[in-house]
Amino acid sequence: MGYNIGGSVCAGNSSTTCPFLVANGSALTVISGIGFLLSSLTIYCLIYHIKLPLCQNIFVMNVAVNDVLNSTVGIIRGLGMAASPLFIGVSRNGEILKWCYVYPIIGNTVWSASILVLIPLTLDRFLAIAFPFQYKSLVNKETSRAFSVIIWLPLIGLLIYDSVTYATGHTQIAYQPEFHRCVVENERFYQPIVFLMAPFILIILMYITMLYFVVKTGLESKRLFVITSAIILTGSSRSFPTTSSPLSK
């Protein structure tokens, strides 16, 4: 196990691979760190300063929480590449630690949430444009919370399922020394379909439908530019945040 002798992430790698790993890991750590700070700031502002309608507040909070989790995983991954494999669960003498098995399972759940958390935001815009008169009855406090539960329940289920299958030996975790990372060796083929492709296609279909309603309304009124601008401005003003500060009191 000479790939991490002395705790150096470069030991055992070729001279061309090592600089790439260090540079890549450093860049990932910096970018993820910035993302973590900005996402945490977003959550803080949503709680204490920015006044959004409750529905939009819940939807944006879902995205911000997922961004914090993704950034945390990215920081750990970057430090494991640029600083020490200990961050991803490999000791200095090459022993694979328990964290090496936990990291890909947690990361798998967090990465799967990236597209799912965008569905409530897209659905909110879709209902506002497709059903403007029924919007307030369709999107309220109860339905907004229900949307969030529907999004996060499958992810929690995925985390529990991965944990159980690993504990029972059905999920195999492999360590890739050339990339200093632990991965799920027998990844299920349907997971990208359920958590990535299907939500992405759903979001695209909702945007296409929204565009259809905008163009149809504009052509029927012979004021396509005016109608489009009005819908965009209405959507912006509906979700436009107001800040509370000592100066405004």
Side-chain angles (χ1 to χ4, degrees):
M1 294 293 182
Y3 47 81
N4 54 10
I5 295 174
S8 172
V9 76
C10 299
N13 287 320
S14 65
S15 58
T16 55
T17 305
C18 172
F20 168 78
L21 281 176
V22 174
N24 193 16
S26 301
L28 180 59
T29 302
V30 172
I31 294 173
S32 299
I34 295 174
F36 180 86
L37 291 175
L38 293 178
S39 300
S40 300
L41 181 62
T42 299
I43 295 175
Y44 171 80
C45 290
L46 284 173
I47 295 175
Y48 294 105
H49 294 288
I50 298 178
K51 303 298 182 182
L52 285 175
L54 179 61
C55 303
Q56 284 78 19
N57 202 333
I58 294 174
F59 298 153
V60 175
M61 185 70 74
N62 284 332
V63 177
V65 168
N66 181 66
D67 287 343
V68 168
L69 297 175
N70 264 308
S71 299
T72 303
V73 173
I75 291 172
I76 296 172
R77 173 84 176 97
L79 290 174
M81 295 169 62
S84 171
L86 284 171
F87 286 101
I88 53 174
V90 181
S91 66
R92 295 186 176 184
N93 60 5
E95 180 186 359
I96 298 178
L97 308 175
K98 289 184 178 180
W99 172 243
C100 192
Y101 302 104
V102 175
Y103 167 80
I105 292 176
I106 295 177
N108 197 30
T109 304
V110 173
W111 298 324
S112 298
S114 299
I115 299 295
L116 286 180
V117 295
L118 297 177
I119 292 180
L121 274 174
T122 308
L123 183 60
D124 175 65
R125 292 297 87 207
F126 170 78
L127 294 175
I129 292 175
F131 306 99
F133 298 108
Q134 296 84 12
Y135 173 77
K136 288 187 177 181
S137 61
L138 293 172
V139 181
N140 50 50
K141 181 173 63 176
E142 288 74 21
T143 57
S144 300
R145 291 173 176 170
F147 289 155
S148 299
V149 171
I150 291 172
I151 291 300
W152 286 103
L153 269 183
L155 297 168
I156 296 174
L158 175 64
L159 178 62
I160 296 173
Y161 178 79
D162 281 344
S163 302
V164 171
T165 53
Y166 164 69
T168 55
H170 291 85
T171 296
Q172 301 297 323
I173 306 296
Y175 177 67
Q176 296 180 335
E178 64 274 21
F179 297 111
H180 294 288
R181 66 179 179 182
C182 296
V183 296
V184 178
E185 195 172 34
N186 54 338
E187 188 173 0
R188 294 165 293 278
F189 73 93
Y190 57 83
Q191 185 172 324
I193 298 176
V194 174
F195 291 97
L196 179 62
M197 294 179 61
F200 180 75
I201 292 173
L202 178 61
I203 290 174
I204 293 297
L205 289 177
M206 283 193 285
Y207 273 108
I208 292 175
T209 307
M210 282 187 275
L211 180 62
Y212 166 76
F213 278 109
V214 171
V215 173
K216 179 183 178 182
T217 304
L219 292 176
E220 288 177 350
S221 63
K222 297 182 180 180
R223 294 181 178 182
L224 179 59
F225 177 77
V226 175
I227 294 297
T228 304
S229 302
I231 291 176
I232 293 174
L233 291 174
T234 303
S236 300
S237 62
R238 187 190 299 272
S239 303
F240 190 78
T242 57
T243 57
S244 59
S245 65
L247 294 177
S248 62
K249 296 180 179 179

